[in-house]
Amino acid sequence: HAKETGKARCVVYNPQKFNQQEFDVSMEAAMFDAVRNGEFFLHYQPIVDAVTCEVLGYEALMRWMRPELGPVSPSQFIPMAESNGLINLLGAWALRSACMQLKRFQEAAGRPLYVSVNVSPRQFRNEHFLGVIDNALKSSGIVGAELLLEITEGILMSDPEHAEAMLNQISARGVKIAIDDFGTGYSSLAYLKRFPISTLKIDRAFVQDLPASVKDAAICNVVLSLASHLNLTTVAEGVENAEQLAFLSRQGCNLIQGYYTGRPMMPDAAIALLRAGANAAAPVPVGQN
Ligand code: C2E
Ligand code: MG
Ligand code: MG
Ligand code: MG
């Protein structure tokens, strides 16, 4: 076959590709052990008021630290867990831990806060998912309204009937729904009308070149205006500097999440941040990734 193309291509032995596959297989095997060995944990990234920079909530972000080998990126292990099914176990653990952690955050802050948890398509389709939510609420003692579930546009588009039924049942518990990475998937404005959604998270892709990029500025303005008319809360992701914060705040974005106002951090650091209070005059980048 290699000859037919007329070029000397090496189709059988590609060491780089081979090593990559071997690496993935060993990583996949390691994942099952990692669950048992407790190698997974959660970081928490502050979500702050766009005007006052007060911390209003945290997004729980999953981390995997392999002994000797170091951290594995979620963009690598989440898709793997999604395909091998471990995401159901990991996701249920994350939801429950995040809710229990929120209780401690609230106690440290002496005021209400919320926690935002990512939900993968496979988890959302799982027949036990509502039970997992109920269990997390019950064992943590937080109320439904203090939990925000982040889903992606694909979940809504692939099976709208199922999504509608699920979202209605989730809403009946007071739990709120955010569209994560808004504008980057298979978007349809119709779903903003059909489904009980509370929050739009504007993807970092539209934020990173603000305020210089005329196109990104236009996209952000339109999304913020749309959200405001539909009574949806807006969160801008990936805010890394004062100029981006100022622009988004001025355009009416409600909440900010990004390295500028706080990196994903361990629970102790999140608690220290809450104890420091809203007195901090200017947002100071805190935590480590
Ligand atoms: P996401 O839900 O959109 O999370 C935001 C990502 O942006 C996080 O990456 C966060 O660390 C990163 N980020 C936040 N602020 C900044 C910034 O200012 N600059 C830059 N460059 N990046 C920023 P992370 O933690 O690597 O997670 C990647 C993705 O993995 C998440 O994207 C989410 O889709 C998925 N993920 C993470 N934890 C979970 C989980 O518990 N369950 C599921 N199903 N997915 C998860
Ligand atoms: Mg998210
Ligand atoms: Mg996001
Ligand atoms: Mg994103």
Side-chain angles (χ1 to χ4, degrees):
H1 183 77
K3 263 198 179 135
E4 286 167 23
T5 65
K7 281 180 192 160
R9 280 196 305 134
C10 178
V11 292
V12 177
Y13 183 67
N14 178 340
Q16 218 174 332
K17 195 171 181 190
F18 178 75
N19 286 342
Q20 182 58 40
Q21 281 170 356
E22 189 181 52
F23 179 66
D24 285 351
V25 168
S26 81
M27 184 183 285
E28 174 136 22
M31 228 175 159
F32 287 86
D33 293 333
V35 173
R36 266 193 301 275
N37 299 338
E39 292 170 23
F40 289 92
F41 60 98
L42 296 172
H43 266 167
Y44 293 87
Q45 185 176 30
I47 298 166
V48 310
D49 185 289
V51 175
T52 66
C53 286
E54 184 185 21
V55 178
L56 300 182
Y58 284 93
E59 178 174 1
L61 293 161
M62 210 184 286
R63 297 291 179 257
W64 179 16
M65 185 63 82
R66 294 186 72 183
E68 261 111 76
L69 296 170
V72 185
S73 164
S75 50
Q76 198 170 6
F77 73 76
I78 295 284
M80 222 175 254
E82 177 83 10
S83 70
N84 67 23
L86 261 186
I87 195 67
N88 285 315
L89 189 70
L90 280 173
W93 161 79
L95 188 56
R96 190 180 143 110
S97 321
C99 290
M100 292 174 71
Q101 192 59 67
L102 177 66
K103 197 76 189 172
R104 289 178 216 122
F105 290 163
Q106 291 174 337
E107 280 159 15
R111 61 186 170 86
L113 293 160
Y114 74 92
V115 71
S116 212
V117 181
N118 294 285
V119 176
S120 83
R122 188 156 174 174
Q123 267 179 286
F124 191 82
R125 286 196 308 266
N126 187 277
E127 55 178 331
H128 302 300
F129 187 55
L130 289 170
V132 166
I133 296 173
D134 289 336
N135 181 286
L137 294 177
K138 203 171 150 201
S139 52
S140 64
I142 71 162
V143 299
E146 293 165 341
L147 174 63
L148 183 67
L149 296 179
E150 301 192 4
I151 63 173
T152 48
E153 291 162 334
I155 286 182
L156 302 178
M157 304 312 288
S158 62
D159 187 351
E161 273 73 39
H162 176 253
E164 185 171 27
M166 283 292 289
L167 292 178
N168 286 335
Q169 294 196 73
I170 290 169
S171 298
R173 289 153 166 83
V175 174
K176 302 206 174 93
I177 301 292
I179 305 300
D180 204 354
D181 310 330
F182 182 74
T184 63
Y186 296 95
S187 326
S188 153
L189 291 181
Y191 72 64
L192 295 179
K193 178 176 159 188
R194 175 171 178 182
F195 302 116
I197 290 158
S198 86
T199 302
L200 298 185
K201 298 193 75 171
I202 301 175
D203 194 72
R204 186 167 71 89
F206 303 119
V207 170
Q208 59 190 2
D209 297 327
L210 290 179
S213 162
V214 176
K215 287 182 182 174
D216 289 326
I219 291 170
C220 286
N221 284 340
V222 169
V223 171
L224 293 171
S225 163
L226 176 71
S228 145
H229 286 290
L230 291 172
N231 246 318
L232 300 169
T233 301
T234 42
V235 184
E237 297 186 312
V239 175
E240 294 185 351
N241 60 54
E243 292 70 36
Q244 291 165 350
L245 171 61
F247 176 88
L248 290 157
S249 176
R250 195 163 5 99
Q251 302 302 328
C253 184
N254 304 119
L255 305 170
I256 299 291
Q257 178 179 358
Y259 293 171
Y260 186 64
T261 50
R263 289 194 173 237
M265 61 186 88
M266 292 298 278
D268 282 356
I271 285 177
L273 183 63
L274 292 169
R275 292 231 166 94
N279 330 348
V284 180
V286 284
Q288 87 294 0
N289 206 7

